[in-house]
Amino acid sequence: MRVVGEGNANVLIDLGDTDCLYRCCVRFRDSLKRNNEYSIENLQYIQTCVKMVLGDLLCSMELVELPLEGFEGILGQYVGNLDDSKIIVFRMPNLKPRILEKVAYQDQFTQIYTSHDLSRVVLELKPKWVYNPSDYCRNCSHSRLKGRELRYCYSKLNQDPLHLTELLASAGELPAGFQRDLASYLASSTNVLAVLYEAQRELKHEALSGIESVADVTSSMSLAMTLRDVTCFIEWSSDADQLRVNVVDVDLKPKEKFVHWRETQLRLDSFEDKCYH
Ligand SMILES: [Zn+2]
């Protein structure tokens, strides 16, 4: 048993199965029971609201109940109060199998892994705000605000598939077939960026800067924020006809997060070095 991935709200645990991983919620640091209850509510939300938008792009996941025994050491590092005798986790396919051990590229929003013989590639990306409700680019402006300058932008890539060159420019060795197939995928109207763009565009909601309480967080706003924080896995294999695409990190956002959303939006509103493209 080992932790193979760690986010603010989740840990990914490898229990030795070759094909799947277990995703355990640690969002609430004061109660395992609360994390378990949230996982049940979260999966219901994903299988209704998120599934309706993403369809087959949504990665398969199922709830599994495991006894706490044996997990205390790992979970205790994240959750102070282990006040339940079980853990409720998501069982999901392992989208980055061990064979993909070479890292061809890595930054905060993108990772590219390959097998040693270059017969398989996985591109892991966080597209964030593909659709911009304002006239400036939210992704690029937010990066600048944080002091990061990226050569590429997923909102831009959605508008212009040729922007892929910028994304792959700093990557290590990649098979030509992968680059060709990815370019052709991104030019199609049903690619994952286009689907996210359309879904984000349709979810109209009040400005994040104007939220005053959890009562102002509408279901549209909540789903929009979920879709602005997903991770996509695009897998290429030299012997497969097409790319395999899965979207994960599609969690229900606690309404209390509005404080952070509002603060970020207010900082962006007054930021003078916004990016337009
Ligand atoms: Zn941009």
Side-chain angles (χ1 to χ4, degrees):
M1 182 190 305
R2 64 192 181 101
V3 173
V4 292
E6 204 178 73
N8 287 332
N10 296 280
V11 286
L12 265 183
I13 302 173
D14 182 345
L15 290 182
D17 306 353
T18 42
D19 300 330
C20 67
L21 293 174
Y22 295 80
R23 186 174 188 265
C24 183
C25 175
V26 294
R27 188 181 289 277
F28 306 103
R29 306 285 155 150
D30 57 344
S31 167
L32 172 60
K33 207 178 176 71
R34 205 166 161 215
N35 286 303
N36 285 341
E37 287 164 359
Y38 170 81
S39 292
I40 296 169
E41 187 192 355
N42 190 20
L43 193 71
Q44 281 168 354
Y45 174 77
I46 292 169
Q47 288 180 335
T48 50
C49 301
V50 181
K51 178 79 180 173
M52 208 155 63
V53 172
L54 295 181
D56 291 343
L57 291 171
L58 178 66
C59 181
S60 63
M61 49 191 94
E62 59 174 338
L63 273 188
V64 177
E65 188 179 310
L66 301 170
L68 173 64
E69 203 179 338
F71 287 93
E72 298 95 329
I74 283 183
L75 279 189
Q77 296 171 37
Y78 304 93
V79 181
N81 184 12
L82 300 177
D83 55 350
D84 207 337
S85 58
K86 59 181 185 293
I87 59 170
I88 295 179
V89 294
F90 289 3
R91 179 159 59 201
M92 306 172 65
N94 184 359
L95 299 171
K96 192 180 80 65
R98 283 189 196 148
I99 188 170
L100 296 158
E101 54 197 336
K102 269 180 77 178
V103 179
Y105 182 78
Q106 191 161 33
D107 69 30
Q108 191 178 357
F109 302 105
T110 306
Q111 280 95 45
I112 306 176
Y113 306 99
T114 71
S115 58
H116 262 289
D117 63 1
L118 294 180
S119 65
R120 288 175 72 180
V121 183
V122 162
L123 165 63
E124 178 183 345
L125 63 140
K126 286 183 181 295
K128 306 299 275 188
W129 294 49
V130 187
Y131 168 72
N132 286 303
S134 312
D135 57 349
Y136 64 91
C137 176
R138 170 65 164 69
N139 286 352
C140 292
S141 301
H142 189 245
S143 285
R144 275 189 192 172
L145 181 70
K146 292 273 186 181
R148 295 186 288 252
E149 279 289 348
L150 291 174
R151 300 157 59 106
Y152 65 89
C153 161
Y154 285 114
S155 176
K156 197 170 187 173
L157 183 59
N158 179 57
Q159 298 157 11
D160 176 13
L162 295 177
H163 184 58
L164 182 61
T165 315
E166 258 79 38
L167 169 65
L168 300 182
S170 314
E173 192 184 2
L174 294 170
F178 163 72
Q179 301 188 48
R180 188 188 56 230
D181 292 349
L182 182 59
S184 134
Y185 173 73
L186 291 173
S188 76
S189 60
T190 52
N191 80 75
V192 66
L193 294 181
V195 170
L196 286 168
Y197 174 92
E198 205 47 42
Q200 292 178 4
R201 191 177 69 86
E202 280 178 14
L203 288 164
K204 304 246 182 298
H205 61 76
E206 298 300 313
L208 299 175
S209 51
I211 315 172
E212 288 180 359
S213 73
V214 290
D216 294 337
V217 180
T218 61
S219 53
S220 275
M221 186 184 286
S222 189
L223 183 55
M225 295 312 282
T226 292
L227 295 175
R228 289 162 178 159
D229 206 20
V230 302
T231 305
C232 309
F233 282 81
I234 300 180
E235 183 183 345
W236 177 86
S237 173
S238 60
D239 57 7
D241 297 342
Q242 52 188 6
L243 300 171
R244 200 163 66 112
V245 183
N246 279 288
V247 181
V248 298
D249 295 338
V250 285
D251 304 293
L252 170 64
K253 301 292 182 193
K255 290 188 172 184
E256 291 73 20
K257 289 204 81 166
F258 85 84
V259 179
H260 172 67
W261 302 340
R262 180 179 62 193
E263 188 187 317
T264 306
Q265 189 59 50
L266 287 170
R267 285 179 68 199
L268 273 169
D269 287 348
S270 59
F271 184 52
E272 290 182 351
D273 194 19
K274 293 189 188 72
C275 174
Y276 298 83
H277 60 67

